[in-house]
Amino acid sequence: MNLQNADITNGAKMLDKASRIAIIGCGGNLSIAQHAASDINRHTGKFCFAPDSVHLTALGGDDVWKPAWMQYASQHCDMILGISARADSPMVRDIDEYAFAIPTLVIAPKKINSPYIHTIALPSKTYHEFEVNALWTIYMLMEYNGVELPALPE
């Protein structure tokens, strides 16, 4: 799948400039966020972090965890990367509260209506199609910046 376009280029440049990246997702996209944080760190040396289940329950208790995590993350990052299968999700609204001060990129099925959030739109029919393409898009951002991803053994 070739998604090379101005949004990918802009996202790659944002990733290149950042040294501390907070990555957030919900549901299946949370696992994509954790996977991406690990791989961005391993392949670029940048500090990346994503929510984990222990931290989520400590921050959120019995309440919604995303606003508390965004407040925590915003103090420690110079870029926010969101992954959301819904462009109008509550998580995107939480991200938007910090996007005016921190460069923010969200991967979503369609453009997000915010002057502060840069979007890479991945039109998708199913959640799983979106999740797989979101992870691949993050790899493309790394490759754009010169990262050579490991090849499969022969």
Side-chain angles (χ1 to χ4, degrees), residues 94-134:
D94 293 335
I95 291 171
D96 198 30
E97 289 186 34
Y98 297 92
F100 72 93
I102 301 169
T104 301
L105 173 66
V106 173
I107 300 171
K110 63 182 183 177
K111 179 143 178 54
I112 293 171
N113 187 21
S114 167
Y116 306 112
I117 294 177
H118 299 279
T119 309
I120 295 177
L122 302 178
S124 303
K125 292 181 181 176
T126 67
Y127 286 100
H128 297 106
E129 176 188 4
F130 174 78
E131 291 167 358
V132 168
N133 288 333

Side-chain angles (χ1 to χ4, degrees), residues 45-65:
K46 295 174 184 283
F47 175 69
C48 294
F49 59 107
D52 65 84
S53 58
V54 174
H55 200 115
L56 298 183
T57 56
L59 283 173
D62 293 331
D63 296 322
V64 177
W65 59 268

